[in-house]
Amino acid sequence: MKEIPSEAVTVSHQLMLRSGMINQLAAGVYSYLPLAWRSLRKIENIIREEMDAAGGQELNLPVLQPLEIWQETGRALAFGKGLFVLTDRRERPLALGPTHEEVITQLVSRYVQSYRDLPQRLYQIQTKFRDEPRPRGGLIRVREFIMKDLYSFDADEAGLEASYRKMAQAYRNIYARCGLPALMVEADSGAIGGKDSHEFMLLTATGEDEIIRCPGCGYAANVEKAQSQKGSAGGGKPLPVAEVATPGMATIEEVSSFLNVPARQTIKAVFYTVDGALVFVVIRGDLPVNEVKLKNLLGCVELRLATEAEVKAAGMVAGAASPVGLRGVRVIADDSLHSGTNFVAGGNRPDTHLRNVNFPRDFAADIVADIARARAGQQCARCGGVLEAIRGIEVGHIFKLGTFFTDRLGAVFLDEKGVSRPIIMGCYGIGVGRLLAAAVEQNHDERGIVWPLPIAPYHVYLCPLYRDGTPVAEIAGGLYRELEAAGVEVLYDDRQESPGVKFADADLLGIPLRITVSPRTLAKGSLELKLRWQKEPEIIAREAALGRVRELLSAAGKPASVA
Ligand SMILES: [Zn+2]
């Protein structure tokens, strides 16, 4: 493709369009063309082998699911508009599966009777649907996508732990074998996600996820989940509350510079509308609120910043709102308010603030918890090292679900003593198309894609530069047959194009090894070999070509290192 649509802003989206790997049918809905499909199948096969090796059994579940089972677990509500819902000819509501916890749990409940039937590890590689509000980034965020999802069913926590560890290792193996170094980080498990959860991240400067990492101890977490030491705010001995005039000052920056106190000695008030009710959030002035932590804490469906009208309607003054003297509104405090004394807070009147506000002396909170967003430069909660922020693309997510689904769908088993217990679950996902796009995002240069060999659509780009009266066509044809017979996958560029066009396309497509058959080198009985990531080609005798190709490919096919 020569003309790239303007909405393609990410590198992987642009390169996959330009190289003819994908084509958009509708927003977030793509056709996978032959080159992409070859790579996807390679990724799928690596995943399949690792899932099988970790005790997984492959099956295939229906995409079309009765909406009823989504209502039974409460997830129809939690997914909201993200769930594609349709009605059949008998007016029965159905959903297109965005994931399969409900279906698989119901299935397992029908077959598992006793502890002897456990554990089970069941997976599929299948198309899923999610009505994303903003599909973007080519295959990064789509509405129809291929996913591997495995579900583990165990009799007890120790069993879940074993399944979880096996899966985490299988995931490390998958990324390493794909040639894509990934980092395993602690992740938010959502309001119903259960306990532990980890994501696997491909690190790229343009990734949509922020990761907080400690070089000291190796702690790494999605910023949605990351914790940090918040440090002391100071403030000295608690003093009596005093009003102070702050004409025209509303933001933390304005107030702290006007009163000449650091932001960490102020209290910031933020209003949220949580499932329709106003919630008052207070946090130290230098810290941002982490809305994911807040949402999980409150266990709500919808959380958003309140509008000015909503704040006014509750009788409060935006910009000078104070927790002191507040009534009738739920107050959530970040634990950073314990880190100091004599804070500056709002005065609940325009142009007025209060000095020497002390928590909990001067106001109460309904909940005190960590709801702050961790940042680079803060100290690691574990070792005190200085945290750094890096970016990545999430390419895998594993969860310990516990009994959320099995409780609701009645998936129980009889233990050794004949007591009925809920089965304990885990789930483990990889977005296959997303991994492909992330691979391009991580592996490219200014000329095009640079495929890691294990997931490249082909191993070799065979590039004859035809000229009448030379044996180029004949030699290239012979070489093609020889390589194919040896199991080397060859993309044979037999177009009558100029060397410039062919080389540019070879670089764009990013096939690992280019072999050029030209009249110039053939005159000396030689060919030109060039790995995509090398600058200069090497010249090799025609007879030595297959041996050298094997050598180069075997070196390039080594698994990547994975943290
Ligand atoms: Zn650390």
Side-chain angles (χ1 to χ4, degrees):
M1 189 185 268
K2 292 273 189 308
E3 298 296 322
I4 299 305
S6 57
E7 69 264 24
V9 288
T10 61
V11 171
S12 62
H13 193 185
Q14 291 171 352
L15 288 175
M16 293 178 86
L17 286 173
R18 281 180 57 203
S19 60
M21 297 193 81
I22 55 171
N23 189 269
Q24 183 175 314
L25 177 66
V29 180
Y30 287 88
S31 301
Y32 307 105
L33 305 187
L35 290 174
W37 196 244
R38 286 181 69 94
S39 287
L40 283 171
R41 275 175 24 217
K42 290 184 179 185
I43 294 174
E44 283 182 12
N45 285 337
I46 291 171
I47 292 175
R48 199 169 266 126
E49 286 171 15
E50 292 296 333
M51 291 297 104
D52 291 348
Q57 297 188 81
E58 189 170 3
L59 45 55
N60 195 36
L61 302 167
V63 171
L64 207 51
Q65 309 173 3
L67 186 62
E68 219 172 37
I69 55 172
W70 285 84
Q71 288 160 340
E72 273 179 63
T73 58
R75 287 215 303 173
L77 201 63
F79 260 88
K81 289 189 166 158
L83 195 63
F84 272 109
V85 176
L86 62 141
T87 309
D88 71 10
R89 63 173 72 210
R90 294 187 175 80
E91 297 298 317
R92 279 187 297 238
L94 296 160
L96 296 181
T99 169
H100 280 72
E101 282 84 359
E102 280 81 0
V103 175
I104 191 111
T105 304
Q106 195 186 71
L107 180 77
V108 163
S109 76
R110 290 175 186 170
Y111 288 89
V112 169
Q113 312 290 337
S114 117
Y115 69 95
R116 287 187 211 90
D117 304 325
L118 296 171
Q120 295 287 341
R121 295 180 189 131
L122 303 165
Y123 77 96
Q124 57 177 349
I125 300 176
Q126 187 207 46
T127 300
K128 305 223 185 281
F129 298 86
R130 254 175 235 192
D131 199 356
E132 285 285 343
R134 286 175 303 278
R136 62 183 182 277
L139 295 188
I140 296 290
R141 199 160 283 279
V142 284
R143 299 196 296 165
E144 175 180 327
F145 54 98
I146 303 169
M147 186 167 148
K148 185 285 300 178
D149 44 332
L150 183 141
Y151 305 89
S152 66
F153 297 86
D154 283 281
D156 53 26
E157 289 292 334
L160 171 61
E161 192 55 46
S163 290
Y164 197 78
R165 250 185 282 125
K166 253 193 153 56
M167 278 302 128
Q169 187 53 50
Y171 273 49
R172 289 192 190 92
N173 299 346
I174 289 165
Y175 301 116
R177 287 182 56 194
C178 287
L180 302 170
L183 179 68
M184 179 168 156
V185 309
E186 290 182 14
D188 168 50
S189 43
I192 56 167
K195 292 148 283 178
D196 288 345
S197 154
H198 287 86
E199 286 167 335
F200 291 82
M201 296 281 185
L202 286 203
L203 303 184
T204 70
T206 55
E208 59 177 13
D209 280 295
E210 185 178 334
I211 301 148
I212 299 292
R213 181 167 71 173
C214 171
C217 68
Y219 171 73
N222 190 312
V223 72
E224 292 179 341
K225 160 91 177 179
Q227 294 178 326
S228 60
Q229 289 184 30
K230 294 168 189 177
S232 168
K237 210 175 95 198
L239 300 169
V241 175
E243 261 190 29
V244 55
T246 48
M249 307 294 157
T251 66
I252 290 292
E253 293 71 35
E254 288 165 352
V255 172
S256 83
S257 107
F258 181 74
L259 297 177
N260 196 27
V261 295
R264 68 174 184 278
Q265 282 170 11
T266 68
I267 293 176
K268 180 161 60 181
V270 193
F271 291 99
Y272 285 93
T273 297
V274 177
D275 291 341
L278 199 68
V279 167
F280 189 83
V281 171
V282 281
I283 187 167
R284 219 171 66 192
D286 61 325
L287 302 172
V289 174
N290 179 330
E291 293 183 2
V292 173
K293 287 183 184 174
L294 183 60
K295 198 173 173 193
N296 290 343
L297 182 71
L298 298 174
C300 58
V301 174
E302 192 210 25
L303 179 137
R304 59 172 172 80
L305 285 172
T307 63
E308 213 168 306
E310 287 168 329
V311 174
K312 261 199 191 128
M316 264 158 296
V317 186
S322 178
V324 181
L326 188 72
R327 270 179 196 75
V329 178
R330 209 166 165 209
V331 177
I332 314 297
D334 183 62
D335 56 11
S336 57
L337 297 193
H338 285 309
S339 68
T341 52
N342 299 327
F343 287 101
V344 170
N348 253 344
R349 282 192 289 137
D351 305 329
T352 307
H353 280 77
L354 301 175
R355 284 188 190 273
N356 309 329
V357 171
N358 287 275
F359 178 72
R361 183 191 74 179
D362 301 325
F363 66 95
D366 295 279
I367 307 176
V368 182
D370 169 32
I371 50 166
R373 195 178 164 95
R375 281 185 303 194
Q378 288 181 324
Q379 285 185 308
C380 172
R382 292 192 186 162
C383 78
V386 180
L387 296 175
E388 58 183 32
I390 48 177
R391 302 202 75 85
I393 301 173
E394 186 230 304
V395 291
H397 200 165
I398 60 177
F399 283 96
K400 288 183 188 167
L401 292 173
T403 59
F404 181 88
F405 294 96
T406 52
D407 278 338
R408 279 158 187 80
L409 296 166
V412 294
F413 70 101
L414 295 179
D415 69 11
E416 282 109 321
K417 297 188 182 103
V419 178
S420 175
R421 296 181 185 283
I423 307 172
I424 299 176
M425 256 180 101
C427 75
Y428 315 84
I430 294 183
V432 181
R434 177 180 252 250
L435 181 55
L436 186 73
V440 175
E441 206 65 47
Q442 196 185 48
N443 299 278
H444 66 269
D445 61 17
E446 67 290 347
R447 288 167 298 155
I449 304 168
V450 185
W451 286 113
L453 181 75
I455 61 168
Y458 290 90
H459 303 143
V460 165
Y461 192 96
L462 180 56
C463 188
L465 305 179
Y466 299 114
R467 189 189 296 161
D468 289 342
T470 69
V472 166
E474 189 196 328
I475 299 285
L479 185 60
Y480 175 70
R481 288 186 292 276
E482 185 185 347
L483 291 171
E484 285 276 304
V488 178
E489 299 168 19
V490 184
L491 180 60
Y492 190 0
D493 185 358
D494 61 355
R495 298 173 301 168
Q496 300 285 340
E497 291 283 0
S498 70
V501 168
K502 286 189 167 188
F503 289 162
D505 284 346
D507 283 348
L508 175 62
L509 264 48
I511 310 298
L513 182 58
R514 189 186 78 196
I515 303 179
T516 308
V517 184
S518 74
R520 188 172 51 84
T521 52
L522 271 191
K524 296 171 201 143
S526 308
L527 306 168
E528 219 182 76
L529 269 58
K530 188 176 107 49
L531 287 164
R532 173 63 178 82
W533 47 91
Q534 283 176 337
K535 276 215 162 67
E536 296 302 324
E538 62 178 77
I539 309 293
I540 190 125
R542 164 66 188 89
E543 308 79 62
L546 178 60
R548 185 61 183 145
V549 166
R550 279 192 169 133
E551 247 170 57
L552 289 171
L553 294 182
S554 110
K558 293 249 161 49
S561 69
V562 174

Short mmCIF file of all heavy atoms in Angstrom, two decimals, residues 214-219 380-385 387, ligand 1:
data_model
loop_
_atom_site.label_atom_id
_atom_site.label_comp_id
_atom_site.label_asym_id
_atom_site.label_seq_id
_atom_site.Cartn_x
_atom_site.Cartn_y
_atom_site.Cartn_z
N CYS A 214 11.68 -1.25 39.51
CA CYS A 214 12.78 -0.93 40.42
C CYS A 214 14.02 -1.67 39.95
O CYS A 214 14.05 -2.90 39.97
CB CYS A 214 12.43 -1.34 41.84
SG CYS A 214 13.85 -1.19 42.96
N PRO A 215 15.06 -0.94 39.51
CA PRO A 215 16.27 -1.61 39.06
C PRO A 215 16.98 -2.32 40.23
O PRO A 215 17.74 -3.25 40.01
CB PRO A 215 17.15 -0.48 38.52
CG PRO A 215 16.28 0.73 38.49
CD PRO A 215 15.15 0.52 39.45
N GLY A 216 16.68 -1.88 41.45
CA GLY A 216 17.34 -2.46 42.62
C GLY A 216 16.92 -3.89 42.89
O GLY A 216 17.76 -4.79 42.96
N CYS A 217 15.60 -4.12 43.00
CA CYS A 217 15.15 -5.45 43.42
C CYS A 217 14.36 -6.18 42.34
O CYS A 217 13.94 -7.32 42.53
CB CYS A 217 14.30 -5.34 44.69
SG CYS A 217 12.71 -4.52 44.43
N GLY A 218 14.14 -5.52 41.19
CA GLY A 218 13.44 -6.20 40.11
C GLY A 218 11.92 -6.07 40.18
O GLY A 218 11.21 -6.59 39.34
N TYR A 219 11.42 -5.37 41.19
CA TYR A 219 9.97 -5.14 41.27
C TYR A 219 9.50 -4.48 39.97
O TYR A 219 10.12 -3.53 39.49
CB TYR A 219 9.66 -4.24 42.47
CG TYR A 219 8.23 -3.76 42.55
CD1 TYR A 219 7.21 -4.63 42.91
CD2 TYR A 219 7.90 -2.44 42.27
CE1 TYR A 219 5.90 -4.20 42.97
CE2 TYR A 219 6.59 -1.99 42.34
CZ TYR A 219 5.59 -2.87 42.70
OH TYR A 219 4.29 -2.44 42.77
N CYS A 380 11.09 2.70 45.94
CA CYS A 380 10.49 1.36 45.86
C CYS A 380 9.95 0.97 47.23
O CYS A 380 10.62 1.15 48.24
CB CYS A 380 11.57 0.38 45.40
SG CYS A 380 11.07 -1.34 45.47
N ALA A 381 8.73 0.44 47.25
CA ALA A 381 8.10 0.04 48.51
C ALA A 381 8.83 -1.14 49.14
O ALA A 381 8.75 -1.38 50.33
CB ALA A 381 6.63 -0.30 48.28
N ARG A 382 9.56 -1.90 48.32
CA ARG A 382 10.22 -3.09 48.85
C ARG A 382 11.64 -2.82 49.32
O ARG A 382 12.04 -3.27 50.38
CB ARG A 382 10.29 -4.17 47.76
CG ARG A 382 8.93 -4.72 47.43
CD ARG A 382 9.07 -5.96 46.59
NE ARG A 382 7.75 -6.39 46.15
CZ ARG A 382 7.54 -7.22 45.14
NH1 ARG A 382 8.56 -7.70 44.47
NH2 ARG A 382 6.32 -7.57 44.81
N CYS A 383 12.42 -2.11 48.50
CA CYS A 383 13.86 -2.02 48.82
C CYS A 383 14.32 -0.58 48.96
O CYS A 383 15.47 -0.34 49.31
CB CYS A 383 14.69 -2.73 47.75
SG CYS A 383 14.89 -1.81 46.23
N GLY A 384 13.47 0.40 48.67
CA GLY A 384 13.90 1.80 48.82
C GLY A 384 14.65 2.34 47.62
O GLY A 384 15.03 3.50 47.60
N GLY A 385 14.89 1.50 46.61
CA GLY A 385 15.56 1.97 45.38
C GLY A 385 14.71 3.01 44.67
O GLY A 385 13.53 3.17 44.97
N LEU A 387 12.49 4.31 41.78
CA LEU A 387 11.66 3.70 40.75
C LEU A 387 11.84 4.40 39.41
O LEU A 387 12.09 5.60 39.35
CB LEU A 387 10.18 3.78 41.16
CG LEU A 387 9.78 3.00 42.40
CD1 LEU A 387 8.33 3.28 42.76
CD2 LEU A 387 10.01 1.50 42.21
ZN ZN B 1 13.05 -2.32 44.84
#
